[in-house]
Amino acid sequence: MTFITEIKTFAALGSGVIGSGWVSRALAHGLDVVAWDPAPGAEAALRKRVANAWGALEKQGLAPGASKDRLRFVATIEECVRDADFIQESAPERLDLKLELHRKISVAAKPDALIASSTSGLLPSEFYESSVHPERCVVGHPFNPVYLLPLVEVVGGKNTAPDAVQAAMKVYEALGMRPLHVRKEVPGFIADRLLEALWREALHLVNDGVATTGEIDDAIRFGAGLRWSFMGTFLTYTLAGGDAGMRHFMAQFGPALQLPWTYLPAPELTDKLIDDVVDGTSDQLGTHSISALERYRDDCLLAVLEAVKNTKEKHGMAFSE
Ligand SMILES: NC(=O)C1=CN([C@@H]2O[C@H](COP(=O)(O)OP(=O)(O)OC[C@H]3O[C@@H](n4cnc5c(N)ncnc54)[C@H](O)[C@@H]3O)[C@@H](O)[C@H]2O)C=CC1
Ligand SMILES: C[N+](C)(C)CC(=O)CC(=O)[O-]
């Protein structure tokens, strides 16, 4: 079976933080976008979020013909997906909700239109169970802000055709992304397993009174966070082993993994821990609004992306390497 990969119309179901990020990215790439979200006031909220992202997208460069006016907000799931060449669902992270939503989407969609879910870690074999033509259904897990960060994890379920995974990766590449095929269907995929481990330890540090949320964020952004934008943990640690490389690093620091540095189970989310995290992050926010911080974050990301791209070019490397 062949799937549509030259797309003109992008459908977005669910237009919260992630859905609006997909809408912004698709509009910036010169596509027509049709969106649906059942919440009252969703259209106005979506247009506001797109407007807040647009400045960064203009700085990055819009595709010919790209316009915020090519967004159409519709009243039903069927209207949203009927003429779509590619469908991206970004509804709340609930298995029952996604199962029912995908049944309806797949009945109304063109049979060769790829259907993707933004889920952070639910299993496609489960929530595409009632879908028609499940062979074209994948996970396309993005990272916030979706309109700037290139990574998208692509995961197939037990009924997904291998060609559909390849086709979805082609579509995401055309949207300026760096798809990563997660070859085994596991909860949390690759990136969220890593992010969750970090976040769990951060919550323990707050819970144990070791550090505030601000101090923990400083430990990330002035250290490992800087190098993570161009080199991952494995290659970084290979260099940390000196000329002897990873084998020496494993011999030196591997045994430390047996020391009780980290906890595996998550801390109990007591009211005190939740308050400490909320109060700590309120202090970090200060007087800045969320939308002002989104624009600040976007500017920082554009600068980092540009710097990494230019430096890779100097070393004869492509951005995707
Ligand atoms: N927020 C994040 O950092 C990330 C979230 N995701 C995933 O994206 C998906 C959406 O998450 P967010 O955008 O963060 O949530 P959100 O809460 O910001 O947005 C969810 C939207 O779905 C709408 N909605 C409610 N019921 C619906 C239904 N039956 N059908 C369609 N839409 C419905 C809501 O009105 C809301 O606008 C989830 O699967 C989540 O795991 C993926 C990557 C990162
Ligand atoms: C917290 N989260 C699991 C929803 C995060 C993601 O899925 C990816 C991201 O943007 O960090």
Side-chain angles (χ1 to χ4, degrees):
M1 176 158 193
T2 54
F3 306 98
I4 305 173
T5 51
E6 304 283 320
I7 70 166
K8 295 191 179 63
T9 305
F10 183 100
L13 297 110
S15 58
V17 174
I18 296 304
S20 61
W22 281 114
V23 168
S24 305
R25 180 177 277 277
L27 288 170
H29 278 78
L31 299 181
D32 291 313
V33 178
V34 192
W36 171 79
D37 189 299
E43 177 173 2
L46 168 60
R47 291 192 188 276
K48 201 169 155 202
R49 293 195 76 88
V50 172
N52 203 43
W54 205 252
L57 289 164
E58 280 175 330
K59 282 180 204 155
Q60 200 176 43
L62 300 175
S67 166
K68 285 181 287 186
D69 298 338
R70 290 173 68 181
L71 166 62
R72 194 159 59 88
F73 195 90
V74 295
T76 65
I77 297 172
E78 290 71 22
E79 214 182 329
C80 186
V81 305
R82 198 171 41 222
D83 299 320
D85 301 318
F86 188 88
I87 296 159
Q88 184 82 33
E89 165 271 309
S90 308
E93 191 76 329
R94 277 184 23 220
L95 181 59
D96 57 337
L97 184 151
K98 288 200 195 277
L99 193 62
E100 178 56 12
L101 182 58
H102 279 292
R103 191 187 62 72
K104 291 184 181 156
I105 293 172
S106 66
V107 169
K110 296 192 267 195
D112 51 352
L114 292 160
I115 300 174
S117 170
S118 300
T119 181
S120 297
L122 297 177
L123 298 181
S125 292
E126 291 178 1
F127 63 78
Y128 285 129
E129 186 104 294
S130 319
S131 293
V132 177
H133 295 306
E135 63 278 4
R136 46 50 191 278
C137 298
V138 299
V139 163
H141 174 228
F143 292 80
N144 195 37
V146 179
Y147 48 90
L148 291 183
L149 290 191
L151 182 64
V152 55
E153 293 182 307
V154 184
V155 195
K158 66 175 189 286
N159 294 315
T160 310
D163 283 356
V165 169
Q166 295 310 316
M169 292 181 56
K170 204 169 156 197
V171 171
Y172 288 131
E173 266 170 14
L175 285 171
M177 301 183 89
R178 170 62 163 81
L180 178 66
H181 181 197
V182 179
R183 287 174 286 105
K184 274 195 181 186
E185 187 191 11
V186 290
F189 317 135
I190 297 172
D192 276 350
R193 278 180 71 167
L194 302 173
L195 293 174
E196 189 174 289
L198 179 69
W199 192 48
R200 190 177 48 227
E201 290 308 315
L203 288 175
H204 275 301
L205 288 167
V206 175
N207 205 33
D208 295 349
V210 175
T212 64
T213 59
E215 288 165 339
I216 294 166
D217 280 0
D218 285 351
I220 294 169
R221 69 198 177 107
F222 294 112
L226 281 174
R227 64 191 184 206
W228 275 334
S229 63
F230 57 90
M231 194 178 277
T233 293
F234 282 108
L235 203 50
T236 296
Y237 283 175
T238 303
L239 303 194
D243 286 342
M246 188 44 116
R247 194 163 295 285
H248 173 61
F249 184 88
M250 291 291 279
Q252 192 176 7
F253 297 106
L257 292 171
Q258 304 304 325
L259 298 174
W261 282 2
T262 55
Y263 302 122
L264 278 179
E268 190 191 341
L269 293 180
T270 58
D271 288 347
K272 176 167 183 338
L273 176 55
I274 292 171
D275 284 347
D276 285 350
V277 170
V278 171
D279 293 348
T281 47
S282 301
D283 286 349
Q284 289 178 262
L285 282 172
T287 55
H288 303 292
S289 69
I290 295 282
S291 54
L293 279 180
E294 282 174 341
R295 291 191 299 275
Y296 158 77
R297 173 202 62 191
D298 291 355
D299 267 353
C300 287
L301 279 175
L302 284 175
V304 170
L305 286 167
E306 191 57 20
V308 172
K309 184 170 156 279
N310 290 340
T311 310
K312 282 189 169 182
E313 256 168 36
K314 267 198 232 156
H315 288 261
M317 292 162 79
F319 180 72
S320 56
E321 280 179 69

Short mmCIF file of all heavy atoms in Angstrom, two decimals, residues 18 93 118-121 141-146 149 153 191-192 195-196 199, ligand 2:
data_model
loop_
_atom_site.label_atom_id
_atom_site.label_comp_id
_atom_site.label_asym_id
_atom_site.label_seq_id
_atom_site.Cartn_x
_atom_site.Cartn_y
_atom_site.Cartn_z
N ILE A 18 0.74 21.29 22.40
CA ILE A 18 1.40 20.54 21.33
C ILE A 18 0.67 20.70 19.99
O ILE A 18 1.30 20.93 18.95
CB ILE A 18 1.53 19.05 21.74
CG1 ILE A 18 2.44 18.95 22.97
CG2 ILE A 18 2.06 18.20 20.59
CD1 ILE A 18 3.82 19.56 22.82
N GLU A 93 -3.62 12.89 27.15
CA GLU A 93 -2.91 11.60 27.26
C GLU A 93 -3.76 10.58 28.03
O GLU A 93 -3.43 10.24 29.18
CB GLU A 93 -1.57 11.87 27.95
CG GLU A 93 -0.58 10.74 27.93
CD GLU A 93 0.12 10.54 26.58
OE1 GLU A 93 -0.48 10.83 25.54
OE2 GLU A 93 1.26 10.08 26.61
N SER A 118 0.58 12.34 18.80
CA SER A 118 1.70 13.00 19.50
C SER A 118 2.00 12.36 20.86
O SER A 118 2.84 12.88 21.60
CB SER A 118 1.36 14.47 19.76
OG SER A 118 1.13 15.16 18.57
N THR A 119 1.31 11.28 21.21
CA THR A 119 1.45 10.72 22.56
C THR A 119 2.90 10.70 23.06
O THR A 119 3.82 10.38 22.30
CB THR A 119 0.87 9.30 22.65
OG1 THR A 119 1.03 8.83 24.00
CG2 THR A 119 1.58 8.32 21.73
N SER A 120 3.05 10.98 24.34
CA SER A 120 4.40 10.99 24.93
C SER A 120 4.89 9.60 25.28
O SER A 120 6.07 9.42 25.58
CB SER A 120 4.40 11.82 26.22
OG SER A 120 4.08 13.14 25.96
N GLY A 121 3.98 8.62 25.28
CA GLY A 121 4.48 7.31 25.67
C GLY A 121 3.45 6.19 25.70
O GLY A 121 3.77 5.07 26.08
N HIS A 141 6.01 11.48 18.00
CA HIS A 141 6.15 12.16 19.31
C HIS A 141 7.11 13.35 19.18
O HIS A 141 8.31 13.16 18.97
CB HIS A 141 6.66 11.16 20.35
CG HIS A 141 6.96 11.81 21.68
ND1 HIS A 141 8.12 11.58 22.38
CD2 HIS A 141 6.25 12.70 22.42
CE1 HIS A 141 8.11 12.30 23.50
NE2 HIS A 141 6.99 12.99 23.54
N PRO A 142 6.57 14.57 19.33
CA PRO A 142 7.39 15.75 19.14
C PRO A 142 7.90 16.29 20.49
O PRO A 142 7.60 15.73 21.55
CB PRO A 142 6.39 16.75 18.57
CG PRO A 142 5.14 16.43 19.35
CD PRO A 142 5.17 14.95 19.62
N PHE A 143 8.63 17.39 20.44
CA PHE A 143 9.19 18.01 21.65
C PHE A 143 8.84 19.49 21.65
O PHE A 143 8.81 20.14 20.60
CB PHE A 143 10.71 17.74 21.70
CG PHE A 143 10.91 16.27 21.92
CD1 PHE A 143 10.80 15.39 20.85
CD2 PHE A 143 11.06 15.76 23.19
CE1 PHE A 143 10.86 14.02 21.06
CE2 PHE A 143 11.12 14.39 23.41
CZ PHE A 143 11.02 13.52 22.34
N ASN A 144 8.56 19.99 22.81
CA ASN A 144 8.05 21.34 22.97
C ASN A 144 9.20 22.37 23.00
O ASN A 144 10.13 22.18 23.79
CB ASN A 144 7.26 21.39 24.30
CG ASN A 144 6.40 22.60 24.40
OD1 ASN A 144 5.82 23.06 23.42
ND2 ASN A 144 6.33 23.17 25.59
N PRO A 145 9.18 23.42 22.19
CA PRO A 145 8.14 23.84 21.25
C PRO A 145 8.24 23.12 19.90
O PRO A 145 9.31 23.13 19.26
CB PRO A 145 8.43 25.33 21.08
CG PRO A 145 9.91 25.47 21.30
CD PRO A 145 10.29 24.42 22.30
N VAL A 146 7.13 22.53 19.51
CA VAL A 146 7.09 21.68 18.32
C VAL A 146 7.50 22.44 17.06
O VAL A 146 8.05 21.87 16.13
CB VAL A 146 5.67 21.11 18.15
CG1 VAL A 146 5.57 20.24 16.91
CG2 VAL A 146 5.24 20.34 19.38
N LEU A 149 11.78 22.71 17.73
CA LEU A 149 12.66 21.56 18.00
C LEU A 149 12.53 20.51 16.89
O LEU A 149 11.42 20.12 16.51
CB LEU A 149 12.35 20.93 19.36
CG LEU A 149 12.75 21.77 20.57
CD1 LEU A 149 12.65 20.96 21.86
CD2 LEU A 149 14.16 22.33 20.44
N GLU A 153 9.98 11.44 17.43
CA GLU A 153 10.16 9.99 17.53
C GLU A 153 9.02 9.32 16.77
O GLU A 153 7.84 9.62 17.03
CB GLU A 153 10.13 9.54 18.99
CG GLU A 153 11.33 10.04 19.79
CD GLU A 153 11.30 9.54 21.24
OE1 GLU A 153 10.28 9.74 21.92
OE2 GLU A 153 12.31 8.97 21.67
N ALA A 191 13.23 9.05 24.30
CA ALA A 191 13.55 10.34 24.93
C ALA A 191 12.84 10.54 26.27
O ALA A 191 13.45 11.03 27.23
CB ALA A 191 13.21 11.48 23.98
N ASP A 192 11.56 10.15 26.35
CA ASP A 192 10.87 10.40 27.62
C ASP A 192 11.34 9.49 28.74
O ASP A 192 11.21 9.83 29.92
CB ASP A 192 9.35 10.32 27.43
CG ASP A 192 8.80 11.65 26.91
OD1 ASP A 192 9.56 12.63 26.89
OD2 ASP A 192 7.61 11.71 26.54
N LEU A 195 14.20 11.60 29.91
CA LEU A 195 13.73 12.83 30.57
C LEU A 195 13.05 12.53 31.89
O LEU A 195 13.20 13.25 32.87
CB LEU A 195 12.78 13.59 29.64
CG LEU A 195 13.42 14.18 28.38
CD1 LEU A 195 12.38 14.77 27.46
CD2 LEU A 195 14.45 15.23 28.76
N GLU A 196 12.30 11.41 31.92
CA GLU A 196 11.59 11.09 33.16
C GLU A 196 12.57 10.70 34.27
O GLU A 196 12.37 11.05 35.44
CB GLU A 196 10.59 9.96 32.92
CG GLU A 196 9.69 9.77 34.13
CD GLU A 196 8.59 8.76 33.89
OE1 GLU A 196 7.66 9.07 33.13
OE2 GLU A 196 8.67 7.66 34.47
N TRP A 199 13.88 13.90 35.61
CA TRP A 199 12.85 14.65 36.35
C TRP A 199 12.56 14.00 37.71
O TRP A 199 12.39 14.65 38.72
CB TRP A 199 11.58 14.72 35.51
CG TRP A 199 10.57 15.68 36.03
CD1 TRP A 199 10.79 16.97 36.42
CD2 TRP A 199 9.18 15.44 36.23
NE1 TRP A 199 9.61 17.55 36.85
CE2 TRP A 199 8.61 16.63 36.73
CE3 TRP A 199 8.35 14.34 36.01
CZ2 TRP A 199 7.25 16.74 37.04
CZ3 TRP A 199 7.01 14.46 36.31
CH2 TRP A 199 6.47 15.63 36.83
C1 LIG B 2 6.51 15.82 29.97
N1 LIG B 2 6.35 15.14 28.68
C2 LIG B 2 6.41 13.70 28.93
C3 LIG B 2 5.01 15.48 28.17
C4 LIG B 2 7.44 15.64 27.83
C5 LIG B 2 7.50 15.15 26.43
O1 LIG B 2 6.79 14.26 25.99
C6 LIG B 2 8.54 15.72 25.52
C7 LIG B 2 9.09 17.09 25.83
O2 LIG B 2 8.78 18.04 25.10
O3 LIG B 2 9.84 17.19 26.79
#
